[in-house]
């Protein structure tokens, strides 16, 4: 437990006081002392030191700034449905201070030059800090063996195609080369794990779908099971670190957990959408909850929740993938999968946690939320200074009212697409203020945002990665 240190002896720029600071040592009262955008100390002192600004959090939880390691903010080339101004407003209203953007843009970010070009486009347009997953170029997997960590420490592989997938790895030899190169370069792979060839076989037999009643059966769990089994075998062979995105079924979760028990460096993400909706919702809502991988049945949803309760899941992600209403109301065969979600993710998961286990100690529940949405993604993706309320960390934090009920409406949607699958939901818990680098970027009391000066997050050295 940190106390006031000589580094914090000068008057801080900001002091955040509260009775429920969510720190790595647990929930505790105290003061966060902030200077030049970083936490200089976590103090037990009874009195507030002289400072330029004081925020009294009272009984609100003070969480570390949340991290969404799976967003599609659509820059460049697809900004008619999302851009960084709108996407980052959605993020900070949802408590997120850092996001990691995916490579499937126009053009896609498949090499270091494209990643740096995207960073230049984003600069000056983001309320959040950011980092990018580079995309795998199937024809140049060797790029991963020599990837500069200053550019990216992770690479996205699409094993199945959909409307915005720029490249799909269908050739087993290419996939194997990618795993070997990533292992050599120390690159974290993140994977859309579905078997494209299996889906092509089913499509050739069934033809195009004409309704959403059977969408889940058209993109069945077998696609994910086959792909996850392939990934585990390649991880076993090469020792590559692999993170499976938007895992959707019981069988996939069991396979990954068995691989982890065997000592393989494979982890997985669960989305808020898969925890919030089932295939019955897709039959009712149609394109609004059409995802890839598809949302599955209630038994699968309960298995994913069990992964959250037990800590089997590593990260929670939004897979924030907005499309316009016009795009989503095309025919079932042409409507693109994906929905917005960064604004809704933390409150949707928190609401599900409290409704499913209302008697659980809220300090235990909120610490779990902070782990999966802050500490774990910071550790997995080497996000320097992120994910923790402790001395030396970036002064990113969230004031969260855990018991406040409120209804989410279309008026609340910050995403440029202008709609949400959660419209009409009554959430429990609300983000009251989001602070990045010691400055407020969202204040619910005034409805105001901060300055669009988010920065590219540097990579933490691989040898000193934070423990989660």
């Amino acid at each position: 437990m940190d106390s006031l240190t000589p580094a914090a002896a000068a008057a801080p720029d900001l002091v955040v006081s509260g009775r429920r600071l969510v720190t790595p040592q647990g929930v505790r009262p105290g003061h966060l002392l902030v200077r030049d955008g970083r936490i200089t100390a976590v103090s037990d002192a009874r009195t507030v030191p002289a400072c330029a600004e004081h925020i009294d959090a009272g009984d609100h939880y003070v969480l570390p700034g949340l991290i969404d390691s799976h967003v599609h903010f659509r820059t460049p080339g697809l900004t008619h449905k999302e851009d960084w101004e709108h996407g980052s407003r959605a993020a900070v209203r949802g408590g997120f201070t850092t996001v990691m953007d995916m490579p499937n843009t126009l053009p896609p970010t498949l090499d270091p030059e494209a990643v740096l070009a995207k960073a230049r486009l984003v600069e000056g347009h983001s309320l959040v800090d950011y980092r990018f997953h580079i995309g795998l170029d199937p024809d140049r997997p060797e790029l991963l063996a020599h990837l500069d960590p200053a550019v990216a420490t992770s690479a996205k592989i699409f094993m199945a195609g959909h409307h915005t997938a720029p490249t799909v790895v269908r050739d087993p030899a290419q996939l194997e080369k990618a795993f070997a190169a990533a292992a050599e370069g120390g690159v974290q792979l993140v994977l859309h794990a579905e078997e494209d060839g299996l889906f092509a076989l089913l499509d050739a037999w069934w033809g195009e779908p004409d309704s959403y009643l059977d969408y889940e059966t058209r993109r069945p769990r077998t696609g994910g099971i086959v792909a996850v089994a392939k990934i585990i075998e390649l991880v076993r062979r090469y020792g590559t670190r692999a993170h499976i995105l938007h895992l959707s079924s019981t069988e996939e979760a069991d396979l990954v957990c068995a691989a982890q028990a065997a000592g393989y460096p494979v982890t997985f993400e669960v989305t808020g959408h898969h925890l919030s909706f089932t295939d019955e919702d897709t039959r009712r809502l149609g394109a609004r909850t059409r995802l890839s991988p598809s949302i599955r049945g209630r038994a699968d949803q309960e298995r994913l929740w069990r992964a959250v309760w037990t800590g089997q899941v590593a990260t929670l992600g939004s897979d924030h993938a907005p499309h316009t209403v016009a795009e989503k109301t095309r025919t079932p065969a042409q409507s693109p999968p994906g929905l917005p979600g960064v604004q809704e993710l933390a409150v949707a998961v928190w609401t599900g946690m409290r409704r499913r286990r209302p008697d659980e100690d809220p300090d235990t529940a909120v610490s779990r939320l902070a782990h999966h949405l802050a500490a774990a993604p910071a550790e997995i993706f080497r996000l320097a200074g992120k994910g923790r309320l402790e001395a030396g960390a970036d002064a990113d934090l969230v004031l969260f009212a855990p018991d406040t009920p409120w209804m989410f409406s279309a008026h609340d949607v910050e995403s440029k697409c202008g709609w949400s699958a959660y419209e009409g939901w009554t959430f429990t818990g609300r983000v009251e203020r989001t602070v990045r680098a010691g400055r407020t970027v969202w204040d619910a009391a005034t409805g105001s945002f901060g300055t669009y000066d988010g920065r590219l997050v540097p990579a933490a050295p691989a040898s000193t990665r934070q423990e989660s």
Side-chain angles (χ1 to χ4, degrees), residues 152-446:
T153 56
S154 53
K156 172 72 177 287
I157 296 179
F158 287 92
M159 296 175 67
H162 57 71
H163 296 64
T164 63
T167 57
V168 179
V169 183
R170 298 181 175 90
D171 183 349
Q174 286 181 324
L175 188 64
E176 188 160 344
K177 288 178 181 177
F179 271 75
E184 181 181 349
V187 173
Q188 172 78 55
L189 292 182
V190 295
L191 300 108
H192 182 130
E194 293 186 287
E195 178 57 36
D196 194 71
L198 186 150
F199 291 160
L201 189 67
L202 290 174
D203 286 345
W205 181 42
W206 273 326
E208 290 189 348
D210 56 8
S211 76
Y212 292 100
L213 294 176
D214 59 352
Y215 174 64
E216 196 271 340
T217 61
R218 296 297 185 106
R219 289 293 179 265
R221 68 186 60 240
T222 47
I225 296 167
V226 170
V228 168
K230 284 186 177 182
I231 290 167
I232 291 171
E233 171 56 23
L234 291 170
V235 169
R236 184 196 67 79
R237 193 177 305 169
Y238 293 103
T240 318
R241 290 184 291 113
H243 187 60
I244 297 170
L245 301 172
H246 40 46
L247 187 141
S248 64
S249 75
T250 296
E251 293 86 352
E252 295 165 74
D254 289 347
L255 280 171
V256 176
C257 290
Q260 291 173 341
Y264 303 158
V266 58
T267 53
F268 67 95
E269 165 199 87
V270 170
T271 72
H273 309 323
H274 285 98
L275 293 172
S276 299
F277 301 102
T278 69
D279 56 352
E280 292 296 325
D281 295 300
T282 305
R283 293 173 186 173
R284 178 174 57 87
L285 298 172
R288 277 182 179 263
T289 57
R290 179 182 179 178
L291 291 180
S292 181
S294 61
I295 290 172
R296 309 212 182 277
R298 190 159 300 280
D300 296 295
Q301 185 186 67
E302 292 306 318
R303 175 64 182 90
L304 299 182
W305 271 110
R306 182 157 59 88
V308 173
W309 304 131
T310 59
Q312 293 170 339
V313 64
T315 65
L316 299 169
S318 71
D319 191 6
H320 178 82
H323 301 284
T324 65
V325 170
E327 289 169 330
K328 292 295 279 185
T329 51
R330 294 171 183 166
T331 66
Q334 296 301 316
S335 173
L339 56 146
V342 65
Q343 185 175 343
E344 302 93 323
L345 173 58
V347 292
V349 173
W350 178 254
T351 298
M353 291 168 67
R354 302 312 293 156
R355 289 178 181 172
R356 282 172 170 78
R357 293 192 175 182
D359 296 329
E360 183 177 39
D361 175 17
D363 288 0
T364 300
V366 82
S367 295
R368 182 186 299 114
L369 192 75
H371 173 76
H372 295 309
L373 282 175
E379 188 271 335
I380 290 171
F381 296 110
R382 296 170 52 187
L383 301 174
K386 302 300 184 183
R388 291 165 180 265
L389 297 184
E390 62 184 9
D394 290 352
D396 301 344
L397 52 98
V398 183
L399 272 62
F400 183 65
D403 302 317
T404 299
W406 61 287
M407 183 175 289
F408 188 78
S409 71
H411 177 74
D412 296 304
V413 174
E414 296 291 346
S415 174
K416 191 173 184 179
C417 72
W419 63 273
S420 171
Y422 294 88
E423 289 173 35
W425 275 48
T426 299
F427 288 127
T428 298
R430 190 173 75 162
V431 172
E432 298 295 344
R433 186 187 294 223
T434 304
V435 176
R436 176 183 50 78
R439 292 186 293 170
T440 296
V441 287
W442 165 247
D443 186 350
T446 61

